[in-house]
Amino acid sequence: MSKCTRKIEYVKEEPESAWSILEQIARGGAQKMLKLALENEVEEYIQKHSDEVDKDGKRIVVKHGSMPKRDIVTGIGPMAITQPRVDDRRLDSGERFSSNILPKYLRRIPSIDNLIPLLYLKGISTNDFGSALSDILGEGASGLSPTNIIRLKKVWESDYQLWRKRDLSDKDYVYFWVDGIYFNVRLDASRSCILVIMAADRHGNKELLAVQDGYRESKAGWREMLLDLKARGLAIGPRLSIGDGSLGFWAALDEIFPETKRQRCWVHKTANILDKLPKAIQSKAKSMIQDMYMAPTKEDALKAYDHFVKVFSDKYPKAVECLTKDKEDLFTFYDFPAIQWIHIRTTNPIESTFATVRLRTKKTKGCGSRIATLTMVFKLALEASKTWKRLKGHKFILHVLENKKFVDGELVEEVAA
């Protein structure tokens, strides 16, 4: 008996991506849950009006088939949704069924509308949105053409105009961080300067307080901004403002909120001093500057300050002058809670946020207009504010607002007379 062998060829099938399977499961589960929710919503509405009948005793609010299928763009990709239809034959009722879960003209869930400005502000050009969103949401992410992106930018402008007129009469801020940020504007001969104020409230929460076109960092621009805050109800200024050496802001602050103390940013001051020293000694000088603002007490900080002046005054008078001219405003933070020194020695909270704005304008070679620049700064800052963390030691803020005395970061207990 002869043996017969047969060669069997196996075709290796590529396994389906685990992520793809998960996406299908998630999308399918979401569709079922949404369908059930819509049906329950319609059923509740019909039951609410079950006692309303016509002359023949028939209900006049009933379910009547389904509405045409439509695609909704979601965070897990496009989903085809079939919504139940309500037949409402009441006359002059003034009420008609409208789904709160799935509004009539909704084509994208709100999180997608948040994604669009985030992508735009992160450097995605208008014409690249289609491919970018397809990669994120899957094929079929329609309704996001360049025309729609332009339309959304108009909406952002309206949002900004409403936001900048909001009432501030119930606000009380402990700290301001201020900055003036320059951008190239393609349709304008001069560079646009956007004035920005970030604030910390009585609960230690940071918020975007003001964004305004300043044209330049002048006293007039900052004065207009601070007066606007006052006109909208901000009766008392912050207890401390932190900023760089812009004379325009400090002059305006003294006029509008003279009770506010001043703290110069140590990061800016360090950079300005080092710029006036040879590279060979910049490392040593930087370490000596850090000894000032990292000292545990104001006395120790002033000793480090005096030492720096003695070491460099003969050979590098310009560097020493850069330090000494702002002496009164460099050590103010010692009069505030020590746990918050990390927040108030520099303008890092505002600088880190707007580093992304600068990246955006660099990628697009500048915005087309001043209002486009303002809108972009506003939208990016609002996105960034969602991740801003509460100040450390927020329990001490009420003491600061009550003008309690701090020495070297420690609260001085008042002795009863």
Side-chain angles (χ1 to χ4, degrees):
M1 182 175 181
S2 64
K3 292 184 178 180
C4 174
T5 59
R6 183 175 60 179
K7 185 178 180 181
I8 301 176
E9 293 185 1
Y10 293 94
V11 178
K12 184 178 179 180
E13 294 184 2
E14 292 294 331
E16 191 170 3
S17 166
W19 283 113
S20 176
I21 295 171
L22 285 174
E23 287 171 358
Q24 291 175 24
I25 294 172
R27 190 179 297 116
Q31 281 179 310
K32 291 178 181 177
M33 290 175 65
L34 180 56
K35 180 181 179 182
L36 181 60
L38 291 171
E39 290 176 349
N40 287 341
E41 183 184 36
V42 168
E43 187 62 33
E44 287 179 5
Y45 184 82
I46 291 173
Q47 289 299 323
K48 177 182 175 182
H49 302 285
S50 61
D51 59 342
E52 300 183 45
V53 296
D54 60 17
K55 61 181 181 180
D56 297 324
K58 295 181 179 179
R59 290 186 182 184
I60 57 176
V61 180
V62 296
K63 182 179 177 181
H64 183 64
S66 301
M67 299 175 68
K69 184 183 295 185
R70 57 170 161 154
D71 289 330
I72 305 296
V73 179
T74 74
I76 54 175
M79 290 198 309
I81 302 299
T82 301
Q83 191 172 3
R85 187 196 301 274
V86 174
D87 183 9
D88 190 342
R89 288 167 284 174
R90 292 174 297 161
L91 299 176
D92 302 324
S93 65
E95 178 189 14
R96 285 291 185 271
F97 174 76
S98 179
S99 175
N100 292 319
I101 298 173
L102 194 62
K104 186 175 181 181
Y105 297 105
L106 183 72
R107 291 294 179 269
R108 300 182 299 273
I109 64 172
S111 61
I112 301 303
D113 283 337
N114 291 335
L115 174 64
I116 292 169
L118 188 59
L119 288 176
Y120 175 77
L121 297 169
K122 292 295 184 181
I124 303 297
S125 67
T126 302
N127 290 328
D128 291 336
F129 262 85
S131 57
L133 286 164
S134 293
D135 290 341
I136 297 171
L137 305 175
E139 295 298 329
S142 59
L144 300 169
S145 65
T147 301
N148 282 347
I149 301 303
I150 293 171
R151 188 179 297 115
L152 278 171
K153 286 159 67 177
K154 291 293 184 182
V155 174
W156 303 344
E157 289 181 20
S158 298
D159 291 343
Y160 167 71
Q161 295 299 342
L162 288 173
W163 174 82
R164 69 185 298 266
K165 295 176 183 177
R166 71 199 186 284
D167 180 64
L168 299 174
S169 57
D170 62 339
K171 295 290 188 177
D172 192 7
Y173 297 107
V174 61
Y175 302 128
F176 275 5
W177 293 268
V178 303
D179 199 7
I181 308 167
Y182 287 87
F183 301 99
N184 291 321
V185 179
R186 295 196 300 272
L187 303 182
D188 199 309
S190 61
R191 296 183 76 203
S192 179
C193 179
I194 305 300
L195 307 181
V196 184
I197 299 178
M198 177 193 292
D201 65 17
R202 62 171 51 249
H203 305 293
N205 298 312
K206 288 181 279 190
E207 66 177 77
L208 183 66
L209 178 59
V211 177
Q212 186 169 309
D213 190 346
Y215 287 87
R216 60 189 186 279
E217 284 188 271
S218 63
K219 176 184 175 181
W222 284 111
R223 183 176 182 274
E224 178 187 352
M225 194 175 201
L226 295 176
L227 282 173
D228 178 64
L229 296 178
K230 207 164 190 177
R232 289 191 281 128
L234 190 63
I236 303 175
R239 304 310 181 267
L240 179 70
S241 282
I242 306 101
D244 63 13
S246 170
L247 296 178
F249 171 74
W250 301 114
L253 182 70
D254 286 344
E255 183 178 329
I256 309 304
F257 295 121
E259 70 280 2
T260 298
K261 294 182 179 180
R262 316 192 310 186
Q263 172 63 51
R264 292 294 174 90
C265 172
W266 273 100
V267 170
H268 283 90
K269 180 55 66 179
T270 300
N272 292 338
I273 295 172
L274 296 181
D275 190 50
K276 296 171 176 57
L277 293 170
K279 288 187 177 180
I281 62 172
Q282 285 183 3
S283 179
K284 177 184 177 182
K286 184 177 181 180
S287 177
M288 293 172 68
I289 294 170
Q290 287 177 337
D291 288 341
M292 299 180 212
Y293 65 83
M294 295 299 290
T297 68
K298 189 173 182 178
E299 182 181 357
D300 292 335
L302 291 175
K303 286 180 181 178
Y305 169 90
D306 291 337
H307 179 63
F308 184 95
V309 172
K310 289 177 183 178
V311 170
F312 294 109
S313 58
D314 291 339
K315 288 187 176 181
Y316 308 105
K318 289 186 178 179
V320 171
E321 181 187 2
C322 182
L323 172 67
T324 57
K325 69 178 183 178
D326 292 322
K327 179 181 179 180
E328 295 302 317
D329 298 334
L330 284 171
F331 303 99
T332 313
F333 69 89
Y334 283 102
D335 299 331
F336 290 82
I339 197 170
Q340 292 171 2
W341 288 356
I342 191 172
H343 301 294
I344 62 177
R345 283 187 295 226
T346 73
T347 56
N348 277 350
I350 201 168
E351 290 284 340
S352 58
T353 294
F354 291 99
T356 309
V357 181
R358 292 186 176 94
L359 173 63
R360 168 62 191 169
T361 53
K362 182 178 180 180
K363 290 201 173 198
T364 58
K365 297 182 175 59
C367 295
S369 65
R370 288 183 179 276
I371 187 61
T373 304
L374 263 177
T375 303
M376 183 192 65
V377 174
F378 165 66
K379 289 299 292 185
L380 178 63
L382 285 189
E383 287 295 328
S385 68
K386 297 174 183 177
T387 63
W388 289 347
K389 295 180 180 179
R390 196 178 188 185
L391 295 185
K392 295 181 179 179
H394 51 83
K395 65 181 180 180
F396 292 106
I397 290 178
L398 288 180
H399 295 307
V400 176
L401 292 175
E402 293 169 357
N403 296 315
K404 296 290 182 66
K405 187 176 181 180
F406 286 80
V407 175
D408 294 329
E410 300 293 332
L411 179 65
V412 177
E413 298 293 340
E414 296 180 355
V415 179

